[in-house]
Amino acid sequence: MKYVVGARGSQLSIAQTNLVIEELKKVNPDTEYEIKTITTKGDIDSRPLFTIDQKGIFEKEIDRAVAQKEVDFAVHSLKDVPSQLDENLILACIPKRETVNDVFISSDGSTLDSIKSGAVIGTSSLRRAVQVSRKRPDVIVKPIRGNIETRIKKASGENYDAIVLAKAGISRLDVNVKYTELSTDDFSPSPGQGAIAIVARADDSKTIEMLKKIEDSDSRLEIEAERALSDFVDSGCRFPVGAYARSNGSEMTLTVTAFSVDGKQSLHVSKTGDKNNPKSLGQSAGEELREKGVNDLALNWREKVEEWNKA
């Protein structure tokens, strides 16, 4: 038996896909896997991510290949996958999640706390940009694009003194670089950060059954809570909400943070509920955010995003 796996051509995407294949080979040792790389809109469009008013820019073309049976299943970074997939597709598997923390990488080994005033810090994430500004209002935060290796090279002190990005990508690529891990208290992660999503055709029961063998149940439940929250408040690249769900026995705690665009206002919600009812937990946290005025923060973001991009 041979499966064709769809993935982006980036080094991180290939590394993640190979990790998935390694796990699948442990439970299906006689099965072969071939990676087919597919270019997406997000690979072609060089604008900062938050200026592109379209969801699924890193997965739509790949999922279309799944639906059209050009590949058997697709491997994505979960945070790139919209909550609403094509009706013929299913989020078939979520393997064990990597760490959710962000990291700080600087040209001279400085930490976020110790870097010089006026330093230029690059990030592709609006959420991280505001979180940096809250911690260090005396630094300059600018958009940065490119794969992980490219962004690390840009943190050379010429145009950027430092960058902030997800630790999961560095771990999966096994990049040898010095970094400082940032606390989730100050840098609440994007919903789904650190997780891999495997998408298959909804009617392909044999493939789904095979993929389920490497699913991590806690990771699935935590992701469902975070995505339910994200759907409720309609967060995304243009309105960043940090969300992190953690299981503890039969319970789960979902911690959510939202900021005003200038970082001066913040909303914080922490909800604990039944681990096996994650969507209800996410919606409950979303309702509390709305009661606290999250929609006003969202409006402010949409007004300021283009101005921030031109800075």
Side-chain angles (χ1 to χ4, degrees):
M1 182 70 185
K2 181 178 180 178
Y3 287 93
V4 180
V5 189
R8 292 172 61 202
S10 71
Q11 284 186 275
L12 177 58
S13 180
I14 297 299
Q16 290 181 160
T17 304
N18 279 321
L19 286 171
V20 166
I21 290 172
E22 286 174 17
E23 291 303 306
L24 288 172
K25 284 182 175 179
K26 292 176 184 178
V27 295
N28 300 283
D30 298 326
T31 304
E32 294 182 19
Y33 301 89
E34 174 190 335
I35 300 174
K36 180 178 180 179
T37 58
I38 298 170
T39 301
T40 69
K41 177 179 173 63
D43 297 313
I44 299 170
D45 199 322
S46 62
R47 290 176 294 168
L49 298 182
F50 48 83
T51 67
I52 305 173
D53 192 14
Q54 179 179 333
K55 294 181 179 180
I57 61 168
F58 286 118
E59 58 76 49
K60 185 169 288 187
E61 291 82 358
I62 303 171
D63 282 353
R64 185 182 300 126
V66 178
Q68 296 176 351
K69 300 186 178 181
E70 295 169 13
V71 298
D72 296 299
F73 60 90
V75 176
H76 303 289
S77 293
L78 190 139
K79 62 183 179 61
D80 294 334
V81 179
S83 56
Q84 297 299 321
L85 292 172
D86 182 286
E87 62 180 2
N88 298 317
L89 301 177
I90 186 174
L91 180 48
C93 174
I94 301 176
K96 187 170 179 59
R97 190 183 201 176
E98 256 278 7
T99 180
V100 303
N101 296 73
D102 288 328
V103 295
F104 185 83
I105 300 171
S106 62
S107 56
D108 61 1
S110 298
T111 65
L112 178 57
D113 289 331
S114 67
I115 200 164
K116 64 186 179 184
S117 180
V120 178
I121 299 174
T123 174
S124 63
S125 160
L126 277 172
R127 171 186 54 80
R128 294 180 185 125
V130 173
Q131 290 167 333
V132 168
S133 296
R134 281 175 65 85
K135 289 282 288 182
R136 288 293 306 270
D138 59 329
V139 302
I140 300 166
V141 189
K142 289 187 176 181
I144 190 170
R145 281 292 304 268
N147 60 36
I148 288 174
E149 299 90 336
T150 300
R151 278 181 273 168
I152 290 174
K153 287 177 183 175
K154 286 181 178 179
S156 61
E158 185 174 346
N159 296 311
Y160 298 91
D161 298 293
I163 57 171
V164 178
L165 70 171
K167 183 179 178 181
I170 291 175
S171 299
R172 288 178 180 141
L173 284 171
D174 196 23
V175 179
N176 183 19
V177 63
K178 184 178 179 182
Y179 60 78
T180 306
E181 186 170 301
L182 299 169
S183 163
T184 57
D185 292 336
D186 295 322
F187 285 79
S188 182
S190 170
Q193 184 161 311
I196 290 174
I198 309 178
V199 172
R201 288 183 293 279
D203 62 357
D204 189 355
S205 57
K206 185 175 181 181
T207 298
I208 293 170
E209 181 182 357
M210 182 266 297
L211 293 171
K212 286 294 184 187
K213 293 179 182 178
I214 65 167
E215 169 134 307
D216 182 76
S217 58
D218 277 355
S219 295
R220 162 75 73 165
L221 294 168
E222 290 162 1
I223 293 301
E224 286 187 357
E226 294 171 14
R227 284 165 75 85
L229 173 280
S230 185
D231 287 345
F232 192 90
V233 298
D234 193 29
S235 69
C237 287
R238 283 176 170 257
F239 176 49
V241 173
Y244 181 25
R246 283 165 285 189
S247 300
N248 182 16
S250 63
E251 292 186 331
M252 180 188 295
T253 299
L254 175 61
T255 304
V256 187
T257 309
F259 302 104
S260 62
V261 72
D262 59 8
K264 293 178 180 178
Q265 293 177 276
S266 64
L267 298 176
H268 184 82
V269 169
S270 184
K271 288 276 188 181
T272 299
D274 180 0
K275 179 175 77 173
N276 293 308
N277 197 1
K279 292 181 180 179
S280 175
L281 181 62
Q283 290 169 358
S284 176
E287 286 169 358
E288 185 169 332
L289 270 182
R290 278 193 179 174
E291 290 169 5
K292 290 185 173 182
V294 72
N295 287 344
D296 293 335
L297 296 190
L299 180 64
N300 197 28
W301 272 103
R302 295 182 182 107
E303 292 171 346
K304 296 290 186 180
V305 62
E306 292 296 342
E307 179 184 330
W308 190 87
N309 179 43
K310 293 174 184 175

